[in-house]
Amino acid sequence: MDYLTWVLVNGLLGSVNFINNAFYIFCMVRPLHGEKIKQPLKLLLAFLICSTTTYQMSTFGAFFSEEKNENGKVAQISLLISVCCLSISLSSSVWLNFFYYTQIVPAQRALFVWIKKNIKPIIFCSMIFESIFSLLEFTVVLFDTNLIGFGFNETFSKYQTCHNISVTAFMQDPKDIYFILSCIQKLHFYLSFLVMMMSSGATVVYLCRNMRRMVANGQSLSCPRFGSQVRVTITGIIHGLLFLSLAIWREYAFISTWQSIFISPYIRATVINFYMSASTFSLGAGQAVFRQRLADVWTTAAQWYKALTVPPPDQGA
């Protein structure tokens, strides 16, 4: 994939995502009928939406600066920002799925009861930790750029020479530190993957059992609460499958790198953009505040269109 193809594909994705995210932010700031989103859901959505938007903007800035042969520091800083935002976006998806799980599945054990009672401070503290942990991603990619020059930022490896001294002057063997930080990074990613899969799987198992129980008791499956739980669960399943796909791609890209199989940085960025696009679209189906506002906008637009196309009645003589 060349630069022009990447711009055409990701430009369209980025434009649609930017419009969607702007709409989501508007819904959160001005919800329909004043129905505000409660915490910690509002925090998770804000982290997810803002980090996704910032990631896409910084990625475009990085590739544009590199393609135009501008100052290498601009491209490198944009790349580092995009990596931090990607880390926060993935973590937000994980904790959003976990929050859905705690709200749908009844608590049966003492630990889970405590988690449900304290879910708000747990989520707040977790997102603070994830934001700090994104600095580790920042450090790993900084080492990757200056020491190895492969992977997603292979395009930017031409700038490594002028920065090697400033990064490694205080270290005797920075590659060992890079290896340790990379292991911590991968451990965190797979722990997040485990939480995502377990929360999504447990929610699906509970709803299936609940559905069979309701059918056996002659209860209707069309009640609003059950329908809301199903929509949220479907959103969680989509996020889980997307996370699984990204994990598989990440391992493939990692193995390909060590086997000297070249994968274009444009392809790597496009894969992540598709992941974020699918995650962004799924939010609209999972959150009532977004669906209600969209339905209201659609109804208003239909009324305006009808008023413009239907001719006014003839005035009597």
Side-chain angles (χ1 to χ4, degrees):
M1 177 182 290
D2 58 7
Y3 176 73
L4 181 59
T5 305
W6 181 84
V7 170
L8 292 176
V9 174
N10 291 268
L12 178 61
L13 282 176
S15 300
V16 174
N17 286 337
F18 184 82
I19 294 173
N20 283 339
N21 289 331
F23 175 73
Y24 293 157
I25 293 174
F26 172 75
C27 293
M28 294 175 65
V29 176
R30 297 290 299 273
L32 189 65
H33 307 310
E35 298 178 1
K36 296 183 179 180
I37 304 176
K38 297 181 180 180
Q39 296 290 4
L41 179 59
K42 187 175 184 179
L43 176 71
L44 292 171
L45 293 175
F47 265 90
L48 182 58
I49 293 170
C50 293
S51 60
T52 301
T53 305
T54 306
Y55 167 82
Q56 292 175 333
M57 294 176 62
S58 58
T59 301
F60 269 95
F63 279 108
F64 180 80
S65 299
E66 192 273 339
E67 181 68 19
K68 297 301 180 181
N69 294 321
E70 295 181 357
N71 190 346
K73 290 184 178 180
V74 175
Q76 193 176 45
I77 291 174
S78 298
L79 171 68
L80 295 172
I81 292 174
S82 69
V83 169
C84 291
C85 292
L86 175 60
S87 175
I88 295 175
S89 177
L90 294 175
S91 301
S92 300
S93 295
V94 172
W95 287 106
L96 186 62
N97 256 31
F98 181 77
F99 174 74
Y100 290 155
Y101 163 68
T102 60
Q103 299 304 298
I104 295 176
V105 180
Q108 296 179 349
R109 297 184 178 182
L111 177 61
F112 193 32
V113 172
W114 180 83
I115 291 175
K116 291 195 70 170
K117 288 182 179 180
N118 299 276
I119 188 63
K120 186 183 294 186
I122 289 175
I123 295 294
F124 272 84
C125 293
S126 299
M127 293 313 300
I128 292 175
F129 168 78
E130 297 292 353
S131 299
I132 297 174
F133 192 86
S134 66
L135 297 177
L136 175 63
E137 304 274 351
F138 180 99
T139 306
V140 169
V141 175
L142 186 63
F143 272 75
D144 192 10
T145 303
N146 287 276
L147 299 179
I148 299 178
F150 66 87
F152 170 78
N153 50 337
E154 183 171 353
T155 308
F156 309 101
S157 61
K158 67 176 69 175
Y159 306 117
Q160 65 184 24
T161 303
C162 62
H163 302 297
N164 277 344
I165 298 177
S166 61
V167 175
T168 63
F170 63 96
M171 302 175 184
Q172 294 181 352
D173 196 351
K175 289 187 177 181
D176 291 341
I177 299 178
Y178 169 81
F179 177 76
I180 295 173
L181 295 179
S182 297
C183 291
I184 297 175
Q185 179 194 40
K186 289 179 71 67
L187 178 62
H188 174 262
F189 178 81
Y190 289 113
L191 285 176
S192 300
F193 173 76
L194 183 62
V195 172
M196 173 74 82
M197 294 297 104
M198 289 183 62
S199 56
S200 296
T203 305
V204 172
V205 170
Y206 166 75
L207 281 184
C208 290
R209 291 177 178 174
N210 190 33
M211 188 182 301
R212 289 196 298 266
R213 186 165 50 249
M214 292 174 67
V215 171
N217 296 333
Q219 298 177 343
S220 174
L221 298 178
S222 60
C223 62
R225 177 178 175 80
F226 183 76
S228 176
Q229 290 180 345
V230 170
R231 282 192 297 268
V232 170
T233 303
I234 292 175
T235 302
I237 293 174
I238 293 174
H239 282 172
L241 292 176
L242 291 172
F243 205 97
L244 174 62
S245 301
L246 185 64
I248 294 173
W249 163 258
R250 176 173 175 151
E251 282 305 305
Y252 170 75
F254 179 77
I255 295 173
S256 299
T257 296
W258 286 108
Q259 292 181 350
S260 300
I261 299 175
F262 179 73
I263 300 178
S264 169
Y266 298 125
I267 295 179
R268 295 172 184 261
T270 302
V271 170
I272 297 176
N273 274 335
F274 270 107
Y275 163 80
M276 289 192 166
S277 300
S279 297
T280 300
F281 275 108
S282 67
L283 284 179
Q287 298 301 319
V289 65
F290 299 152
R291 296 195 311 272
Q292 292 171 0
R293 174 62 74 176
L294 181 61
D296 179 69
V297 171
W298 180 264
T299 302
T300 303
Q303 292 174 350
W304 286 352
Y305 177 77
K306 184 177 182 181
L308 292 174
T309 54
V310 176
D314 295 335
Q315 298 293 331

